Amino acid sequence: MPPEAEVGDHWNRIMGYTFNFTPVWQSLPDLLRGLGLGLGLALASLAVGMALGLAVAFGMVSRQGGLRRLASGYVTFLRNIPLLLLIYFAFLGLPQLGIRLDKYTAFAGSLTLYGAAYMAEIFRGGLQAVPHGVVEAGRAIGLRPLQIKLYLILPILFRTTRPALGNAYISLFKDTSLAAAIAVPELTFQARKLNLETFRIVETWLVTSLLYVLTAVAIANLLRYLDWRANRREGRTAP
Amino acid sequence: MSETVLSIKGLVKSYGAVPILRGIDLDVSRGEVVSIIGSSGSGKTTLLRCINLLEEYQDGHIEVAGETIGYSGDGRQRKPLTERTRARQRALTGMAFQQFNLFPHMTAQANIMLGLVKVRGMARAEAEKIAADWLDRVGLSHRRDHYPKQLSGGQQQRVAIARAIAMSPQLMLFDEITSALDPELVAEVLEVVRELAGDGMTMLLVTHEMRFAHDVSNRIIFMDQGRIAEQGPPKSLFRKPGTERLTAFLKNSSF
């Protein structure tokens, strides 16, 4: 006899809720599969979003007014609409305009465009922080503009923005939970399914939350370690 | 008569309505060491930056090793050359900066190699050898794999000088290279420059080190309000300044 029926009977019985994690542990493989999918979607969005964000950032600091306005407009627009709305538009709105995307593409596309806007802001700050003297030194030895971008600006940019990009990746990873809204079977979707099947709601959300937190902390620590190692190598902090 | 490496005629430069250079004429021969002195705002640094095309200018001609730099045509036909051409022309001159400006993400050796490989098209092994030679000459062989942050100001400046010279420029420009250094680090950098001068490198230096300028230069140029006010061999110029401005300037300079 499952205890669920008795739970709502008395107030003190709710406080005396008996935990039963067994159904959640049994579905752990599903949850982990969902977690993996979320990480993958976030990684894909990060990769493509970084390239797009970089292009937008160069647009934002461009000397051409038109390009600058276009880039700034993109960032302003995408940073100010809720991601969920963007996802619904891509999955439900676009088909009405004759563009049919499967749910994975619709979600990854939305997250990419959204992440690109955030990363464009990060990169813009990074571009402005590249010392002007370093660029001049590059020009002085005869490097062409493209070479200066490739060998000086980009490597310096990725070093200074690496911590912020790491945080952006963690944010994107958490945002993958919104994919549940269009039935992409990532972690949140799997957890909701588990709720409906077992009614172990508290246990499910506890375990799911824990998975999100542990993953985010693991990513953060990995990034911190990589940063520490690079800093030590290049003498930016005391060894 | 020795060959002219740098020839400037009628150089005019202004920031908006503010004139910076009001008609500079200057020739520098191969092997000559010329120091430019003058109070701040007299246009010394701007002059160097025009020679290396880090600044645009409104009128005049600059030739380095016989090649007109930066622009083509005259008067209304005057047009900036393409960035590609200008990049190649910039490599004719080497420049050392007040703030060193080393590439912060590269080791001392990689700083020197970048231009050799990417601009001169050298093979890595060859560039590595040249970089090692120059690090040796500036006394920093043991700092080859160090990043700029791990070097003292004086060491950074010596790497920066090696980076510029390794490109074998026709002319070296030094822009107040000791102004950002702690006093005890100045000597090691000036020593490197003194050696280069001894090797016959053609050099144009903007400096506040009067004693050094006096010792190392063939010629001193005194700039005042965007013009060359006076020039001559260091001994006579320092002993018998011909203008009141230079007399006053020298009186206020530490020797």
Side-chain angles (χ1 to χ4, degrees), chain B:
Chain B
M1 187 66 207
S2 65
E3 178 198 351
T4 303
V5 174
L6 172 70
S7 172
I8 303 176
K9 288 191 179 65
L11 182 61
V12 173
K13 154 95 188 164
S14 58
Y15 287 116
V18 185
I20 307 293
L21 300 174
R22 310 173 191 232
I24 301 283
D25 298 295
L26 172 65
D27 282 356
V28 176
S29 306
R30 188 167 299 287
E32 207 181 357
V33 177
V34 179
S35 291
I36 307 175
I37 61 173
S39 49
S40 58
S42 59
K44 313 178 297 279
T45 290
T46 307
L47 174 59
L48 282 202
R49 292 171 58 83
C50 286
I51 297 170
N52 207 11
L53 291 169
L54 292 174
E55 299 278 351
E56 302 291 322
Y57 46 93
Q58 283 77 34
D59 202 7
H61 269 284
I62 300 179
E63 276 183 28
V64 176
E67 182 171 350
T68 301
I69 295 295
Y71 300 87
S72 65
D74 267 313
R76 310 189 74 152
Q77 264 80 53
R78 186 173 184 270
K79 276 201 304 275
L81 296 169
T82 61
E83 264 309 308
R84 208 184 167 78
T85 307
R86 285 181 155 206
R88 184 182 56 72
Q89 292 179 335
R90 279 193 194 98
L92 293 171
T93 55
M95 185 148 182
F97 300 85
Q98 186 176 346
Q99 300 294 340
F100 333 134
N101 297 341
L102 288 183
F103 308 136
H105 58 301
M106 294 182 184
T107 61
Q109 174 171 269
N111 261 276
I112 301 175
M113 286 173 62
L114 184 68
L116 297 173
V117 174
K118 301 301 177 188
V119 178
R120 295 280 185 243
M122 235 173 241
R124 290 198 70 83
E126 196 186 353
E128 222 163 272
K129 197 183 157 309
I130 292 176
D133 284 351
W134 277 106
L135 278 173
D136 190 33
R137 295 215 27 200
V138 300
L140 290 172
S141 289
H142 59 302
R143 293 284 182 266
R144 195 180 77 158
D145 295 323
H146 284 56
Y147 285 83
K149 280 274 165 63
Q150 297 166 319
L151 300 172
S152 73
Q155 292 173 334
Q156 287 188 53
Q157 191 59 291
R158 281 143 73 195
V159 173
I161 292 169
R163 174 178 70 183
I165 305 264
M167 299 289 290
S168 24
Q170 300 283 323
L171 167 73
M172 263 305 294
L173 308 169
F174 294 91
D175 184 15
E176 300 191 24
I177 53 167
T178 57
S179 298
L181 292 175
D182 292 334
E184 72 271 20
L185 301 177
V186 169
E188 63 185 67
V189 171
L190 293 184
E191 193 46 44
V192 167
V193 178
R194 197 188 301 269
E195 276 176 30
L196 291 169
D199 292 349
M201 171 58 77
T202 313
M203 310 198 291
L204 196 53
L205 304 102
V206 167
T207 184
H208 292 295
E209 302 283 337
M210 292 304 151
R211 166 62 59 193
F212 179 73
H214 176 277
D215 293 349
V216 83
S217 312
N218 305 112
R219 182 165 34 137
I220 305 279
I221 287 175
F222 173 59
M223 279 185 71
D224 186 43
Q225 297 179 348
R227 292 194 180 86
I228 294 178
E230 213 175 317
Q231 58 178 309
K235 282 199 178 57
S236 54
L237 198 84
F238 281 125
R239 207 167 300 157
K240 291 194 296 260
T243 58
E244 272 176 43
R245 303 287 298 208
L246 180 54
T247 310
F249 175 77
L250 290 174
K251 196 180 288 177
N252 291 326
S253 305
S254 54
F255 248 86

Side-chain angles (χ1 to χ4, degrees), chain A residues 164-181:
Chain A
L165 288 176
N167 289 335
Y169 178 60
I170 293 172
S171 273
L172 289 178
F173 164 63
K174 286 191 295 176
D175 286 341
T176 54
S177 72
L178 288 168

